[in-house]
Amino acid sequence: MAANESMPLNMTKGVTDVSQRVFELHMIIFYICVAIGLVVFGAMFWAIWHHRQSKGAKPADFHESTKVEILWTLIPFVILIVMAVPATQTLLAMEDTSKPDMTVQVTGSQWKWHYRYFDQDVEFYSLLATSSAQIANKREKRDNYLLEVDRPLVLPVGQKVRFLITSQDVIHSWWVPDFAVKKDANPGFINEAWTKIDKPGIYRGQCAELCGKDHGFMPIVVIAKAQADYDEWLATTRVTQQQAREEEQRLLDMEMGMDELMTLGETVYNTRCAMCHQVNGQGLPGAFPGLAGQGVSIDPAAKLEHISIVVHGRNGTAMQAFGPQLSLKELAAVITYERNAWGNNTGETVQAAEVQAVMDGQDL
């Protein structure tokens, strides 16, 4: 087995019981196929060699053999039964999501993952952490190039985790080879999968369904922790997110300055928006509209419409609703940045209270 682990073209054994069963099934089927190949080709080459014309062999004169036909039908049938039994057992184990210890909802969208821990009041988005400079070959690529995220999914070892997998837009696929989990995320549907990780570690995967131009920039990172470490992380994360929600409410009574908003807005834009609208705001003709030099109107209705598009998205287009994805401060900052960058010099700021008003339906 150690030799198999060093073979880069072979399957990974993984860190779950199911992944190891899948690996063992793969090896069983592989060896059966090798044995069949040796027998078939061995018989064929033996027949060619011993019945060659130079040896004076004469072709046999017969039309058919009922016994041979029964034999070559029965043998493959038995082989398929032998292969089907362990395959069915493994498949049933892979699909058995009953009696989970915890449940995580996984939602794909272009081009990120959202994780929500049921009954824990914890949820977050997980985005690619590889910098655009590395992608553009301006900086040296790190070992985990395109396989690193800002917020990994954290799970406990030794617990059965059920995944409810869906999508907000197009079809994605949540795939972590070490878990032997690969399940499509379909909009409007929920698919189930599960895992039970044997040992702590960092495990990486990717979206395995072609989902748009940045399909290759949609990695998955799972950190498996011992139960005590996981409990500590969960408690800390829960408190941090609660504090962030409280800070959001305090922010409604504050007014941020232009410099603060522009600085944060540029960071948010480059992280969340530049992949479509480009860093220079020029967009991609025919796909994503440009934002630069648009002569953004200072009319109050136009400002509210701008906020609404960022918060709610735009139906029928690739423009997502960023209201659920960003904080009020980040939303106010990125909209302010868009309204004052690349020649869009409105001189106006957008404050958190204005964004909240749009979220509450006081937009148009």
Side-chain angles (χ1 to χ4, degrees), residues 70-222:
I70 292 176
L71 194 62
W72 72 32
T73 300
L74 187 61
I75 291 176
F77 177 76
V78 172
I79 292 174
L80 288 175
I81 293 298
V82 170
M83 295 168 67
V85 171
T88 301
Q89 293 174 339
T90 301
L91 183 61
L92 290 174
M94 292 175 67
E95 298 298 326
D96 180 17
T97 60
S98 62
K99 299 180 181 179
D101 297 307
M102 61 178 291
T103 299
V104 177
Q105 179 177 316
V106 180
T107 305
S109 60
Q110 294 175 313
W111 288 274
K112 63 186 77 67
W113 297 101
H114 179 264
Y115 301 113
R116 181 166 74 90
Y117 292 70
F118 276 35
D119 304 321
Q120 297 298 336
D121 200 24
V122 169
E123 59 182 294
F124 52 85
Y125 283 87
S126 180
L127 288 84
L128 175 72
T130 299
S131 69
S132 57
Q134 292 180 61
I135 296 173
N137 294 317
K138 294 180 180 179
R139 289 186 181 176
E140 184 178 353
K141 293 175 171 57
R142 296 187 290 194
D143 291 340
N144 295 316
Y145 174 69
L146 296 185
L147 290 174
E148 50 195 355
V149 298
D150 57 351
R151 298 202 65 179
L153 176 65
V154 180
L155 298 175
V157 299
Q159 298 288 314
K160 184 173 182 178
V161 182
R162 178 179 62 164
F163 300 111
L164 301 181
I165 303 173
T166 187
S167 170
Q168 285 186 337
D169 38 47
V170 300
I171 299 176
H172 303 278
S173 185
W174 200 81
W175 175 48
V176 181
D178 283 304
F179 302 164
V181 173
K182 180 179 179 290
K183 189 70 71 170
D184 279 356
N186 299 316
F189 295 87
I190 294 178
N191 287 326
E192 290 185 286
W194 71 277
T195 193
K196 187 175 182 181
I197 308 170
D198 293 337
K199 59 182 180 180
I202 300 176
Y203 307 106
R204 303 179 189 275
Q206 294 173 294
C207 175
E209 187 73 41
L210 186 60
C211 58
K213 78 176 190 67
D214 282 343
H215 158 69
F217 303 142
M218 198 171 169
I220 300 161
V221 178
V222 179

Side-chain angles (χ1 to χ4, degrees), residues 234-353:
L234 185 63
T236 301
T237 303
R238 190 186 295 117
V239 170
T240 300
Q241 294 198 352
Q242 178 60 34
Q243 291 174 343
R245 288 190 287 268
E246 294 172 356
E247 178 63 25
E248 291 271 272
Q249 295 304 308
R250 288 194 293 270
L251 194 63
L252 296 177
D253 298 323
M254 298 170 57
E255 185 163 320
M256 294 178 288
M258 176 66 80
D259 290 342
E260 180 184 6
L261 287 167
M262 290 294 287
T263 300
L264 175 60
E266 183 177 14
T267 300
V268 175
Y269 178 87
N270 289 338
T271 302
R272 298 299 189 96
C273 312
M275 63 179 65
C276 295
H277 298 289
Q278 306 303 300
V279 175
N280 57 12
Q282 295 295 327
L284 293 173
F288 305 106
L291 303 175
Q294 298 297 302
V296 176
S297 174
I298 62 174
D299 180 74
K303 182 179 181 181
L304 286 175
E305 182 182 11
H306 190 169
I307 297 173
S308 180
I309 291 173
V310 175
V311 169
H312 299 308
R314 177 167 281 178
N315 291 334
T317 72
M319 180 61 192
Q320 302 176 29
F322 282 92
Q325 303 183 35
L326 301 174
S327 67
L328 289 176
K329 185 175 183 178
E330 290 172 325
L331 288 166
V334 73
I335 298 169
T336 298
Y337 179 75
E338 291 175 355
R339 295 179 64 78
N340 291 278
W342 322 299
N344 300 332
N345 302 317
T346 65
E348 294 181 332
T349 63
V350 174
Q351 299 297 327

Side-chain angles (χ1 to χ4, degrees), residues 52-63:
R52 63 190 186 275
Q53 185 179 12
S54 62
K55 195 177 179 180
K58 300 295 183 180
D61 185 14
F62 65 89
H63 182 263

